Amino acid sequence: VLLPYQALFHRDAREALGISLEGNVVIVDEAHNIVDAIGDIHSTVLSQASVLSAHNQLTSYFQHVKGKLSPELNRCIRVLISLAKKISEVLRTSTSRSAEIVERKQQRTTEEDSIWSINDFLFAAGLDNFNIFKIVQHAKQSKLLLRVSSYTQSRNVQLSSDIAPHDQMSSLFSFIEFLQTLCHDNLDGRVIAHHGESPQEVYLKFMMLNTNHAFKEVAEDAHAVLLVGGTLTPMDNIRSQLLARIPKPRISTFSCGHIVPKDRVLPICIPSGPSGKALTLTHSQRSSVGVMDELGAVLANVSAHVPGGLVVFFPSYAYEREVHSRWSFTGLLAKLREKKKVVREPRAAAEVDQVLDVYGAAAKEGGAILLCIIGGKMSEGINFSDEMGRCVLVVGLPYPNPHSLEVKEKIKYLERELEGLSPVAKRGTEYLDNVCMKSVNQSIGRAIRHKLDYAAIILADSRWSLQQESSRKAPINKLSSWIRDSLVSSPGSFNDALQMLDVFFCRHESSEATKSPVICTR
């Protein structure tokens, strides 16, 4: 039986599909995504437009069938209408202060989103006197949502100006799903009122923190659970967020080397550029003109020594735009385009295939440079094999924002969850490192795709040269073993790194041409 994550790790979905895990072996492929996937499955978002649409649909249906339903169902609908009204009031209150908050957020003065524990939100919204679990269960058992949505569609009534008629059913289900998340244990999640780019963009999000519970249900029911993937490093996130409460004798790990021989991959750390200026790509310093210009000089020099395709991974869309704008201003992009075609990752998913076709054709003809994003549309599931990816250049380290409310709450949760299981000082930094390095390892893995492939991996950031500290592992230690085992962490000067590239590509290009070993000295 083949299932998406959503059907496997959500009990309601399994029951609806009639799936029993008892005695079965569950194999989870691409398991590096499992922690985020379980968190996303059990999280939900509710906008003001959606809750108003749900309220109006329930009210319209109740007026139509009043007196025709059982007392229990009548009460269920009345309570749901009341709950929708109270939650809408929370959003309305947040919207009233949203203009001021958006202005402060644009000035980057503070983090202004509101956050509650589950119990605190229930009290703040006036929902603490309702048995929400019982109401949601009754709504499901009576198929109330299908009745209401069928009535709304049959009348062809648009009950909210902000919700299209075909989206009204999803609004109703989103409302019920949000109510269901409020039935979790108080420590399992948080409710956040997010403020977007405009005062009207306010929505509630339930953020699931306890991913262990959903995984443990599957692990206890199944005969065995196999988490497999090409790049599960670093494993610390999976251990801490999924396996912390599972007895150690039940857990075993196996890792094998890469099919590609070590001499067919050249990973190099580049802590500084051609002028000797350190590539300080921390969030607070990477936007300086000097750093962006030095990074441009790195790309210009590397591209001149790399045949075929060069894939550049930036830590975020915002930074890629910033650097691209700077390089356009200085004329660097024009100079790069004189030698190779420069292509950018599109924001629209529908354009990815077209961009890849353009890049692939150019890479095979005279060389090309692809600017894309770690964690973006091209960092997973894309094969940059052979000429498509003779070199991957990773710019910086994509650490999550430590000031984000969601990141802060995740770290606080892990500190409670892992109490007694790991040193307190390491939990926050360990979590940030693991999130960052999971993305880096996935991006690097886009290049080497078969045993005859070869590619250089360039890690551009001064932090790669850091040695292991007593309270924290250096980033190098969380690289996939097949990269770490071949890594040149101290190449000497920038020119020394370029010479290594020359020798590496000369050897493999000559070997391909002659089908025999070749000694290169350039």
Side-chain angles (χ1 to χ4, degrees):
V1 178
L2 296 177
L3 292 172
Y5 285 155
Q6 291 83 348
L8 176 61
F9 290 106
H10 200 294
R11 184 194 300 170
D12 288 352
R14 291 198 303 273
E15 292 176 353
L17 294 171
I19 295 170
S20 172
L21 301 178
E22 188 174 354
N24 290 317
V25 175
V26 176
I27 302 174
V28 182
D29 195 14
E30 299 291 347
H32 62 276
N33 285 322
I34 187 172
V35 174
D36 293 339
I38 293 176
D40 291 343
I41 290 165
H42 293 274
S43 299
T44 188
V45 170
L46 186 66
S47 67
Q48 176 74 299
S50 292
V51 74
L52 283 176
S53 175
H55 176 275
N56 292 342
Q57 288 183 70
L58 288 164
T59 301
S60 177
Y61 178 74
F62 185 65
Q63 291 173 347
H64 175 68
V65 299
K66 189 186 298 185
K68 301 177 184 178
L69 301 175
S70 66
E72 292 81 6
L73 193 52
N74 269 322
R75 180 179 181 278
C76 177
I77 297 174
R78 287 200 304 270
V79 171
L80 287 173
I81 292 171
S82 180
L83 293 173
K85 186 175 181 180
K86 289 179 178 295
I87 292 175
S88 179
E89 185 59 34
V90 172
L91 282 163
R92 189 178 297 112
T93 301
S94 297
T95 303
S96 67
R97 39 190 300 268
S98 186
E100 178 186 350
I101 288 172
V102 168
E103 182 179 353
R104 288 204 295 264
K105 289 181 77 173
Q106 289 172 344
Q107 295 171 353
R108 300 180 181 179
T109 56
T110 183
E111 173 64 73
E112 293 284 356
D113 293 336
S114 303
I115 188 164
W116 300 269
S117 68
I118 295 175
N119 287 347
D120 286 345
F121 179 79
L122 293 173
F123 282 109
L127 308 179
D128 50 304
N129 291 323
F130 296 93
N131 187 336
I132 296 178
F133 177 80
K134 184 178 179 180
I135 293 298
V136 170
Q137 289 301 110
H138 191 74
K140 288 183 176 181
Q141 292 168 3
S142 64
K143 303 188 185 304
L144 176 62
L145 302 190
L146 292 176
R147 295 185 189 188
V148 175
S149 59
S150 295
Y151 168 75
T152 303
Q153 291 175 2
S154 67
R155 293 300 177 97
N156 197 26
V157 178
Q158 185 169 347
L159 297 171
S160 173
S161 59
D162 296 322
I163 298 288
H166 60 275
D167 289 331
Q168 292 182 148
M169 183 175 180
S170 62
S171 297
L172 189 59
F173 277 84
S174 295
F175 170 62
I176 297 298
E177 186 179 4
F178 181 80
L179 291 179
Q180 188 169 2
T181 62
L182 301 179
C183 301
H184 285 288
D185 185 84
N186 186 49
L187 299 179
D188 283 353
R190 292 290 180 266
V191 179
I192 304 172
H194 275 302
H195 299 266
E197 298 298 323
S198 70
Q200 290 72 36
E201 294 180 42
V202 181
Y203 59 91
L204 292 174
K205 176 181 179 179
F206 175 82
M207 175 190 176
M208 173 57 79
L209 298 171
N210 183 6
T211 51
N212 175 71
H213 180 70
F215 181 81
K216 192 176 180 182
E217 281 186 348
V218 172
E220 288 179 343
D221 288 349
H223 174 72
V225 178
L226 278 67
L227 305 181
V228 299
T231 311
L232 291 183
T233 305
M235 278 285 293
D236 301 334
N237 250 10
I238 293 176
R239 288 193 182 99
S240 63
Q241 297 190 57
L242 298 184
L243 309 177
R245 301 300 179 186
I246 293 178
K248 288 186 178 180
R250 290 195 61 194
I251 304 170
S252 54
T253 60
F254 170 76
S255 178
C256 57
H258 204 292
I259 191 173
V260 174
K262 289 184 179 180
D263 65 346
R264 300 189 77 84
V265 58
L266 177 64
I268 308 176
C269 294
I270 297 184
S272 56
S275 71
K277 182 180 179 63
L279 295 172
T280 309
L281 290 162
T282 58
H283 192 273
S284 61
Q285 300 183 62
R286 68 190 187 189
S287 294
S288 72
V289 168
V291 171
M292 289 191 288
D293 288 348
E294 192 72 7
L295 185 60
V298 168
L299 178 58
N301 280 270
V302 168
S303 67
H305 293 257
V306 172
L310 168 58
V311 183
V312 184
F313 281 105
F314 289 88
S316 68
Y317 283 103
Y319 190 57
E320 188 272 344
R321 287 196 301 271
E322 193 173 4
V323 171
H324 189 274
S325 175
R326 173 64 186 173
W327 291 349
S328 295
F329 176 76
T330 61
L332 174 68
L333 283 178
K335 292 180 180 178
L336 290 174
R337 290 185 178 117
E338 291 175 1
K339 304 291 184 180
K340 296 184 177 182
K341 190 172 188 64
V342 180
V343 184
R344 300 174 72 186
E345 176 178 322
R347 292 303 295 266
E351 299 174 6
V352 169
D353 288 342
Q354 180 183 354
V355 169
L356 283 174
D357 288 342
V358 171
Y359 166 73
K364 293 174 183 178
E365 290 175 5
I369 299 171
L370 175 62
L371 309 180
C372 46
I373 317 301
I374 297 175
K377 301 171 186 65
M378 296 182 174
S379 64
E380 290 192 38
I382 303 293
N383 292 340
F384 292 116
S385 61
D386 301 320
E387 289 83 1
M388 288 275 285
R390 285 301 180 211
C391 180
V392 170
L393 171 59
V394 179
V395 175
L397 288 162
Y399 280 100
N401 180 4
H403 304 296
S404 160
L405 272 179
E406 295 191 20
V407 172
K408 287 180 179 178
E409 289 302 315
K410 189 67 176 182
I411 291 173
K412 289 178 184 176
Y413 174 79
L414 290 174
E415 288 175 350
R416 293 193 304 268
E417 177 71 10
L418 301 182
E419 188 173 359
L421 300 179
S422 67
V424 174
K426 294 181 68 175
R427 293 179 199 146
T429 54
E430 193 81 0
Y431 170 73
L432 296 174
D433 286 345
N434 290 336
V435 172
C436 168
M437 291 307 300
K438 184 194 77 166
S439 299
V440 169
N441 286 326
Q442 283 299 311
S443 298
I444 289 173
R446 297 308 92 211
I448 304 291
R449 306 307 297 177
H450 58 84
K451 68 179 182 179
L452 297 179
D453 206 353
Y454 61 91
I457 312 293
I458 296 178
L459 306 173
D461 193 304
S462 60
R463 287 170 288 183
W464 287 108
S465 62
L466 294 176
Q467 299 301 311
Q468 183 167 330
E469 304 169 9
S470 58
S471 62
R472 185 176 189 172
K473 290 182 179 179
I476 286 176
N477 294 296
K478 291 182 179 291
L479 284 168
S480 298
S481 60
W482 65 278
I483 292 292
R484 193 172 62 246
D485 293 345
S486 303
L487 185 67
V488 181
S489 57
S490 301
S493 68
F494 182 77
N495 285 334
D496 291 336
L498 293 180
Q499 289 178 5
M500 291 179 189
L501 288 175
D502 285 340
V503 172
F504 177 78
F505 287 117
C506 173
R507 182 173 70 247
H508 289 294
E509 287 177 329
S510 300
S511 295
E512 280 194 338
T514 63
K515 302 301 179 183
S516 60
V518 173
I519 297 176
C520 292
T521 58
R522 62 171 175 166

